[in-house]
Every structure is written in C-alpha cells, then in structure tokens.
Amino acid sequence: MKTFTSAWRQYAAASWALAYGVLGAAWALGTPGFPWGATDPDPDGALSILAGTTPGFGWWIAAFCLLIAVTALALTLRSGHRAPLFVAWPVAALLILVIPDSRLMMGVAYTPLLLAAPVLGWDLGGATFADAWPWPVLNQLVCVLGGLLLAAAAPAYGRDQGRRSWFTPQRGRVAVYVAVVVPLVYCATRWAWALGVPLGVSTAFLAEGEGGLWLAGAYLATFGAFGGVLTLGLTQRWGEIFPRWIPGLRGRRVPPLLAVVPAGFVSVIITVAGLTYLRWTIAGRFALEEWGAWLPECFWPIWGAALATATVSYHRRRRQVTPEVAAGHAPPTGRSLSRT
C-alpha cells in the first residue's frame, strides 16, 4: 500500500478539488465572488470561455470538482487500470490551458514593471496591482494550481504501468531551439513599433499607440527575449552549475527547481495567451492587413509547448546526475552535458 508521503500529489489534488467544489457550491447559493460573467472586468466578454456563465454555474463546478477528487484518489491505487489517466490528463489540460486567458500572462509580465515603478518614479497611468491582478485573474491562478496538482499526480501512476518517457534529452535540445526562435517574431514587431516602424500594421494603427503604448509593447518583447536567453540554460552548462561571475554561488550546483518552476509556469501562461489569440482569430476579430498585431501571438502555443518539453526533459536529466554533482562537489561530466 502506498504511504501518504508517496501519494501526496494525489491527496493534494483531491484536497484542492474538494475545497474549490465547496467554493463553487457557495457561489451557486449566493456567496459573492463568482469570478466570471457580470462580475468579470473583461470589457466585452471576449477573453474567458466562461464569460457567459452566471453564479448558478457553481453547481457544475462542484460536480466537476467531485469528479477531480475521485480521479485523484483513484490515482493512489495500483489497480493497473488506465481509466484514471484518461480522465486526469484532459481535466488537467482544461484547468491549465482552457479556463485561463491571456490576462494571466499580462499580470505576470507587468508585475516587475509595477514593482519598479515607485522606485523609478514612473506613473504608468495610475495602474496598480489591483488592475493587473483582479480576483477573476487570481482565480485563474487557482485553477492552474489545481490542474498542475492533478498533472503531477498522473505521471506517478503512469510510471507504475511501465511506460517509457517521451521526454528525451534529444527532444529537449530541439525544443529549446524552438522556444528561443518562435518569440523573436513577436519581439521584432514590438521593437519596430517602438521605433516608429509599422511592421505588419498600417501607419494609422501605429499612430494609435504613440502615447507610450508601444513602449510597453517593447518592454514585453524584451521580457520575452530575455526569457528566451534563459531558456538556453536548460541545455547549457550554466543551467547546471552557477557561472564564475556570480559571487557566492560560482561553481555550485543549480537547484533543478530554480529552473523548472519558473520555466514550467511561463510555458503555461504563454500557451494560454496564444490559445486566446487563436480563439479570437477563428472568430474573425482581426484584420488580415494588421497581421503584426495578432499573427505572432498565434504561434505562442508552439512556444509554450516547446518550453514545456524542454523543461520536463531538463528535469528528468537532472534527476540522473551523479551523487558528486548532486552534492555540489563536482561539475557535470562531459557525458552528462553531451546528452543535453
């Protein structure tokens, strides 16, 4: 029988589901705070797929969460049946990728700017953390957490079935290159606009953002490009051992979670934002002649999938390092690096 310690992911996912299910029932009974529908600050109801729901939808949330809890508990058993996995993976994908929208990425991207604004004396048009992180967006983080807990519970059950992992070091290396290249198209358009070059848009469109909007776009582009550089660390030596130019850490082993957690989270929010743009594109909300304003974002799901693949491959490879490297007493061997 599995112990509580070995099955903590499954129990954590079940606990999340029960708690969120109670919250859904409370919304259905009239408790304030329903995060979609009329209380969502989404200006035209085009961001969230649940924009048209009412608090009564809370009963469906409660039933859905009960299914999650039962599935998570089923993942603690060594029954040999794959049925729990057939439920767990689609439900996790729904919570992580479908229910959230692009505002999750915008909140993460603008948080460093909001932190730096008071120090640098920037006004930012009066924008605050409440604007970047209203309750409906924070609720998206809660949903992503539930999906990640369920997704973390599924592989442990899957390993009991003896399946070979798809995430090899070779695929991880290719995925890193894709994750670095794909965002450069978006970066090129936003940097061009900040310089007054109407790349992929009309001059009239460009004039609408001359009040500083394109500078914010250039900031986001630079943020994405910097993330691409950090992605290279998933296959480079400095992703395993801190470089010499970092005082106090030089030569020490990089904790795997220091790379895995932020890279994994960024892969989620990038994919979510890209799926939002794909929904808008399919709905015909964009003009073809203004392709620079929407086409680069449609490739973000590829970026997110590549980053997720590179992250999982990195995590699996780091678990196979030698005891000396794990203790921080020796650098990785040439063989270890060659497998990245």
Side-chain angles (χ1 to χ4, degrees):
M1 179 181 295
K2 287 187 175 182
T3 64
F4 179 87
T5 301
S6 63
W8 71 267
R9 296 176 183 85
Q10 291 89 334
Y11 290 121
S15 299
W16 176 91
L18 292 175
Y20 200 77
V22 170
L23 189 58
W27 290 331
L29 291 172
T31 301
F34 184 71
W36 296 288
T39 58
D40 189 345
D42 177 7
D44 55 3
L47 289 171
S48 175
I49 64 168
L50 298 178
T53 59
T54 64
F57 184 72
W59 291 122
W60 288 101
I61 294 175
F64 182 65
C65 287
L66 180 60
L67 172 65
I68 296 175
V70 171
T71 301
L73 293 176
L75 291 173
T76 65
L77 306 176
R78 295 181 181 270
S79 62
H81 297 294
R82 304 196 62 80
L85 292 177
F86 292 141
V87 177
W89 285 119
V91 169
L94 182 67
L95 288 170
I96 297 171
L97 301 177
V98 180
I99 291 179
D101 57 58
S102 59
R103 288 174 293 178
L104 192 58
M105 187 204 71
M106 298 301 293
V108 172
Y110 279 112
T111 292
L113 195 61
L114 290 169
L115 290 172
V119 178
L120 300 176
W122 295 343
D123 178 43
L124 299 183
T128 65
F129 282 100
D131 298 313
W133 294 104
W135 162 239
V137 180
L138 288 175
N139 176 69
Q140 294 179 22
L141 277 179
V142 176
C143 292
V144 169
L145 173 62
L148 291 175
L149 288 173
L150 188 59
Y157 184 90
R159 281 195 296 269
D160 292 340
Q161 313 306 314
R163 292 181 63 89
R164 183 178 179 182
S165 175
W166 183 86
F167 299 95
T168 63
Q170 292 75 21
R171 288 194 177 103
R173 187 188 309 112
V174 173
V176 164
Y177 298 147
V178 174
V180 171
V181 171
V182 170
L184 294 181
V185 179
Y186 169 83
C187 295
T189 58
R190 272 50 182 183
W191 288 333
W193 298 354
L195 295 173
V197 179
L199 178 61
V201 296
S202 64
T203 54
F205 182 94
L206 188 67
E208 294 178 2
E210 290 181 349
L213 180 61
W214 303 145
L215 290 178
Y219 157 77
L220 290 177
T222 304
F223 197 79
F226 179 69
V229 173
L230 292 180
T231 302
L232 292 173
L234 298 177
T235 59
Q236 301 295 319
R237 184 178 187 277
W238 52 269
E240 297 186 17
I241 302 296
F242 284 109
R244 295 180 178 180
W245 50 267
I246 301 182
L249 295 174
R250 64 186 67 178
R252 293 181 178 272
R253 173 179 176 266
V254 176
L257 292 182
L258 186 63
V260 170
V261 171
F265 182 67
V266 170
S267 71
V268 168
I269 63 176
I270 289 171
T271 304
V272 166
L275 291 175
T276 301
Y277 273 89
L278 282 174
R279 290 202 309 268
W280 288 349
T281 301
I282 294 172
R285 295 176 60 88
F286 300 120
L288 182 60
E289 60 271 17
E290 308 288 4
W291 63 265
W294 55 270
L295 185 58
E297 289 89 336
C298 290
F299 291 97
W300 284 0
I302 299 176
W303 177 14
L307 181 55
T309 299
T311 302
V312 175
S313 300
Y314 170 87
H315 177 60
R316 291 182 62 83
R317 176 171 57 78
R318 290 298 305 276
R319 292 194 316 184
Q320 299 172 1
V321 298
T322 64
E324 290 79 8
V325 173
H329 299 316
T333 63
R335 181 171 178 270
S336 174
L337 288 175
S338 67
R339 299 187 337 179
T340 64

